[in-house]
Amino acid sequence: MSSPTIGFVSLGCPKNLVDSERILTELRTQGYQVVPSYDNADLVIVNTCGFIDSAVQESLEAIGEALNENGKVIVTGCLGAKEDQIRNVHPKVLEISGPHSYEAVLQHVNKYAPKPSYNPFTSLVPEQGVKLTPKHYAYLKISEGCNHSCTFCIIPSLRGEMVSRPIGNVLDEAKRLVDSGVKELLVIAQDTSAYGIDIKNRTNFWNGMPLKTDIYTLCEQLSTLGIWVRLHYMYPYPSVDNLIPLMAEGKILPYLDVPLQHASPTVLKSMKRPGTIERTLERIHHWREICPEITLRSTFIVGYPGETEQDFELLLDFLEKAQLDRVGCFPYSPVEGAAANQLADQIPEAIKQERFHRFMQLQQTISTQKLQNKIGKTLSVLIDEVDEEGAIGRSMADAPEIDGVVYLNEEKTVKVGDIVQVNIEHSDEYDLWGTVIQ
């Protein structure tokens, strides 16, 4: 009996990517063949994103394309939590399930494409499972859901309250990934720094050791695996301060992704976000005292309802003072179901775009200067690509797909996954150029 073929589309953030990897692993374990196109596939699965309006539109378009090309489509993911919205546009979708509904997806697949006869000797699945990232790096999701009520976000209604994975299970997965050749683990969750709070930091076991379920203990144990460990989506709790010495000691990468969202006290209060700018600046200064090499990444929203020109100027002033290394900025976009949609003083689109460009222009100047300061230094670089023009890699300051890269023109002696020492010779606004030190 030939194995049914499944086409697969994965949209959205790295957290959704991990969900896709788990579904694909289960499909392969059951003996299904996953194919990279819709042509002649027995079914197509679309793992959707539903966070902002543009993501919803992209997901609906992907579903429509799959229906047009194949006709037999199962939908899952964040947008799947809004079944009526999908059915109104695409009534011919076979089945719909919400985020991290692995069992439901498999049941739907089994219904429309019955499981094949499975021979474990000819249909082996790698121990680390099916990955959608390159072999040398992987995302490690440590919890699901979120307990916050930020007014611009609907993640809790889509993905539920926070549920932390047992630390032993997380470390087992990390070890399997490292044994398979992974050189960098990117630790992710909706709220990474809150890991374990929902279960009161319950003790779990790994390799016979009792371990507290918290982000500090997890990072300490991950540091023993001999790979790069990078932290993303770190809500700015005071406990984050405890991780900086681990970075200074070289146990985890000196890289911290802290989505701050704004700098105006008025806007932060409206967003239901914590912290004051004065305290945040003090902490950033303290972090740099402990670990001068730390790279700080953050994301911000401009044009939030009620944001005045004075609020925006406070944000620009914060950028000047904080001198963050990597920054993402998004004009506020209404999300169906978000509390912010009901706020007064919605900002006109033209003003949002004008503030976005002013913000990015300032941050581009800061980024340009920071990268110029790296000229003449020697950096460790993880190689991501090698082609006829040379190699492209990332330094410890660069997360894949969202930060800059290091270009090694005409370099042919390295391989993907190598970590090499590079002398930095040139820079621009976001990227570096250098030569491998032989």
Side-chain angles (χ1 to χ4, degrees):
M1 177 180 175
S2 61
S3 298
T5 56
I6 309 296
F8 202 98
V9 180
S10 183
L11 304 171
C13 65
K15 296 172 283 285
N16 222 35
L17 186 77
V18 174
D19 290 346
S20 294
E21 290 177 339
R22 179 165 177 179
I23 293 169
L24 289 170
T25 297
E26 294 296 331
L27 289 171
R28 291 290 291 116
T29 299
Q30 291 190 5
Y32 290 96
Q33 294 296 317
V34 180
V35 295
S37 69
Y38 305 132
D39 296 342
N40 300 318
D42 294 288
L43 280 173
V44 175
I45 300 173
V46 181
N47 191 8
T48 59
C49 178
F51 183 52
I52 59 176
D53 287 354
S54 60
V56 170
Q57 187 60 38
E58 180 185 18
S59 294
L60 291 173
E61 289 174 358
I63 295 167
E65 181 181 351
L67 283 168
N68 290 335
E69 296 290 331
N70 183 280
K72 294 163 288 187
V73 177
I74 291 172
V75 174
T76 189
C78 288
L79 188 59
K82 302 177 179 180
E83 181 169 352
D84 290 346
Q85 186 173 0
I86 296 172
R87 293 280 182 203
N88 286 338
V89 181
H90 300 301
K92 294 184 179 180
V93 166
L94 296 176
E95 301 283 355
I96 298 173
S97 60
H100 51 92
S101 302
Y102 315 117
E103 292 182 2
V105 174
L106 291 168
Q107 289 171 1
H108 295 154
V109 171
N110 296 161
K111 175 180 176 181
Y112 294 98
K115 281 193 289 187
S117 301
Y118 179 59
N119 183 343
F121 296 102
T122 60
S123 305
L124 294 176
V125 176
E127 186 177 5
Q128 74 275 13
V130 176
K131 289 173 67 264
L132 295 175
T133 51
K135 183 179 180 181
H136 60 288
Y137 71 82
Y139 294 100
L140 182 68
K141 186 159 69 168
I142 61 176
S143 67
E144 187 57 82
C146 182
N147 290 341
H148 295 293
S149 54
C150 302
T151 54
F152 54 83
C153 181
I154 58 170
I155 289 297
S157 65
L158 293 179
R159 290 184 169 263
E161 294 184 350
M162 180 177 178
V163 179
S164 295
R165 296 177 60 195
I167 192 169
N169 290 5
V170 174
L171 291 168
D172 280 341
E173 180 181 348
K175 182 65 164 57
R176 289 194 298 271
L177 289 166
V178 172
D179 289 345
S180 75
V182 165
K183 302 291 184 66
E184 176 184 15
L185 286 175
L186 299 104
V187 181
I188 60 170
Q190 303 296 339
D191 181 4
T192 305
S193 46
Y195 175 61
I197 289 177
D198 58 307
I199 54 175
K200 299 181 180 179
N201 305 118
R202 181 186 307 150
T203 297
N204 191 245
F205 289 85
W206 186 58
N207 288 347
M209 295 184 295
L211 299 173
K212 282 181 64 177
T213 303
D214 62 34
I215 190 63
Y216 182 87
T217 304
L218 178 64
C219 287
E220 272 200 316
Q221 295 303 316
L222 290 174
S223 73
T224 66
L225 299 179
I227 45 109
W228 286 9
V229 177
R230 191 182 301 277
L231 299 179
H232 283 284
Y233 316 124
M234 299 291 292
Y235 207 80
Y237 300 117
S239 59
V240 172
D241 298 353
N242 299 330
L243 298 171
I244 310 304
L246 296 181
M247 299 179 184
E249 295 163 15
K251 291 186 175 181
I252 60 177
L253 289 186
Y255 181 103
L256 196 60
D257 177 0
V258 185
L260 297 172
Q261 307 301 359
H262 214 280
S264 161
T266 303
V267 175
L268 287 171
K269 183 178 179 180
S270 180
M271 288 178 167
K272 294 190 177 180
R273 296 286 296 184
T276 64
I277 290 313
E278 292 75 15
R279 176 61 180 143
T280 300
L281 287 170
E282 288 175 7
R283 293 175 72 192
I284 289 172
H285 178 69
H286 183 56
W287 294 343
R288 286 174 171 152
E289 281 186 333
I290 297 171
C291 183
E293 298 303 313
I294 191 170
T295 295
L296 297 176
R297 155 170 271 281
S298 191
T299 50
F300 298 88
I301 298 173
V302 297
Y304 187 79
E307 180 191 64
T308 65
E309 180 63 23
Q310 183 180 7
D311 291 325
F312 182 66
E313 290 291 343
L314 284 173
L315 177 55
L316 295 183
D317 184 60
F318 172 77
L319 274 189
E320 287 272 19
K321 292 176 179 176
Q323 294 286 300
L324 301 174
D325 302 88
R326 302 295 194 189
V327 171
C329 179
F330 304 92
Y332 171 75
S333 175
V335 180
E336 184 180 351
N341 297 344
Q342 309 307 318
L343 294 175
D345 301 321
Q346 297 284 326
I347 307 299
E349 195 63 35
I351 294 178
K352 291 182 192 177
Q353 292 301 321
E354 187 267 342
R355 289 177 181 171
F356 169 77
H357 289 299
R358 284 164 62 194
F359 180 102
M360 291 308 298
Q361 186 174 24
L362 173 57
Q363 181 56 36
Q364 187 179 81
T365 301
I366 294 170
S367 176
T368 299
Q369 184 58 56
K370 281 187 161 287
L371 292 183
Q372 283 179 356
N373 294 339
K374 296 186 179 185
I375 294 175
K377 294 185 177 181
T378 299
L379 303 180
S380 296
V381 172
L382 176 60
I383 303 300
D384 282 337
E385 300 177 39
V386 180
D387 59 24
E388 64 277 0
E389 296 182 1
I392 301 174
R394 292 178 290 108
S395 73
M396 293 182 181
D398 305 308
E401 299 186 353
I402 58 172
D403 292 331
V405 297
V406 181
Y407 291 100
L408 307 173
N409 293 342
E410 300 182 8
E411 174 59 58
K412 304 293 179 62
T413 65
V414 299
K415 302 187 300 296
V416 171
D418 285 349
I419 297 178
V420 296
Q421 298 303 301
V422 174
N423 179 50
I424 302 302
E425 300 166 338
H426 177 66
S427 67
D428 65 8
E429 297 90 345
Y430 302 113
D431 301 316
L432 299 170
W433 282 257
T435 303
V436 173
I437 299 173
Q438 301 296 336

